[in-house]
Structures are given as C-alpha cells and as structure tokens.
Amino acid sequence: MKTFILGRTKEEVLGLLREKEIKTVALGERKICLTRIGEEYFAFEQNCPHRKANLGQGYINNFQEIICPLHAYRFDLKSGKVSNANCPDLQVFKTQISDNGLKIFI
Ligand code: FES
C-alpha cells in the first residue's frame, strides 16, 4: 500500500476541493477521483466498474453516493457498494485528514 498526501494543511485541502466537487488526481501512475462532503473526504477509482465511464464526470447525491454519468448506477462512497444495479462494486480508498494535509492510502 502507498500513501499519498494532498496539501500541507487542513485549510489548504479544504480550499482545493469544494463541497461535492469531484476532482481527478494522478497519484503515481494511477488516476483516482476525490470528493468532499462537509469535512469527510472520499477517494475512489476513476473508471466505473460497469462499463468504465469516467466517474470524474459523475455527481454526488445527498446519500453519500457517486452517480455514474453513463447509466446512473450509484455507488456508496464509503464502501464502494453498488446500490441500484448488478455490477462489481467500486474500489474506494481510505483517506485521513490531519493538520498536515489529506492522506490517501492506495
Ligand atoms: S458505465 Fe457506469 S453505470 Fe454504466
């Protein structure tokens, strides 16, 4: 497992990511998506496990789910579980916010 750190302070990370905005970041050789709801941060794979649509173009609903832009499958941001379809779950990554930035464990 690798650990990546985004930003240098809590405030900086907060400023990098608006509420429910989805940002795609390159971490090493991999691209992942990040989003924030309140002070909770979520990281997940960029490509939908259904047909590989870019989840960076999806949106976040009020139930802590990412909705795929292609067929509207919904995935829980914490567990990655798909909630309205039959396809593999989304890969999600642990995050940890601290005074030294946002850690993402991949
Ligand atoms: S590609 Fe994401 S739901 Fe079909």
Side-chain angles (χ1 to χ4, degrees):
M1 183 186 292
K2 284 186 178 172
T3 305
F4 295 90
I5 300 179
L6 187 75
R8 286 165 296 195
T9 65
K10 245 184 207 176
E11 293 70 29
E12 186 181 348
V13 178
L14 203 65
L16 288 172
L17 210 52
R18 291 193 309 267
E19 175 89 8
K20 291 188 177 179
E21 177 184 26
I22 302 170
K23 268 207 174 142
T24 302
V25 293
L27 299 181
E29 295 179 359
R30 186 164 197 173
K31 283 186 178 173
I32 66 159
C33 292
L34 289 175
T35 192
R36 172 174 74 79
I37 301 174
E39 291 192 14
E40 260 190 291
Y41 292 86
F42 302 92
F44 49 94
E45 62 182 316
Q46 181 188 31
N47 295 111
C48 177
H50 180 225
R51 296 270 168 82
K52 305 291 175 209
N54 181 358
L55 293 175
Q57 294 170 358
Y59 63 97
I60 307 297
N61 68 11
N62 290 331
F63 303 99
Q64 292 199 338
E65 294 173 323
I66 167 74
I67 302 180
C68 179
L70 198 54
H71 306 108
Y73 288 9
R74 303 191 318 258
F75 301 90
D76 184 273
L77 287 168
K78 268 191 186 142
S79 67
K81 278 212 154 311
V82 62
S83 58
N84 64 332
N86 191 11
C87 82
D89 292 336
L90 179 70
Q91 187 176 13
V92 295
F93 307 102
K94 188 172 175 254
T95 63
Q96 186 181 64
I97 188 73
S98 76
D99 290 336
N100 302 317
L102 178 68
K103 283 186 184 167
I104 304 158
F105 304 92
I106 293 188

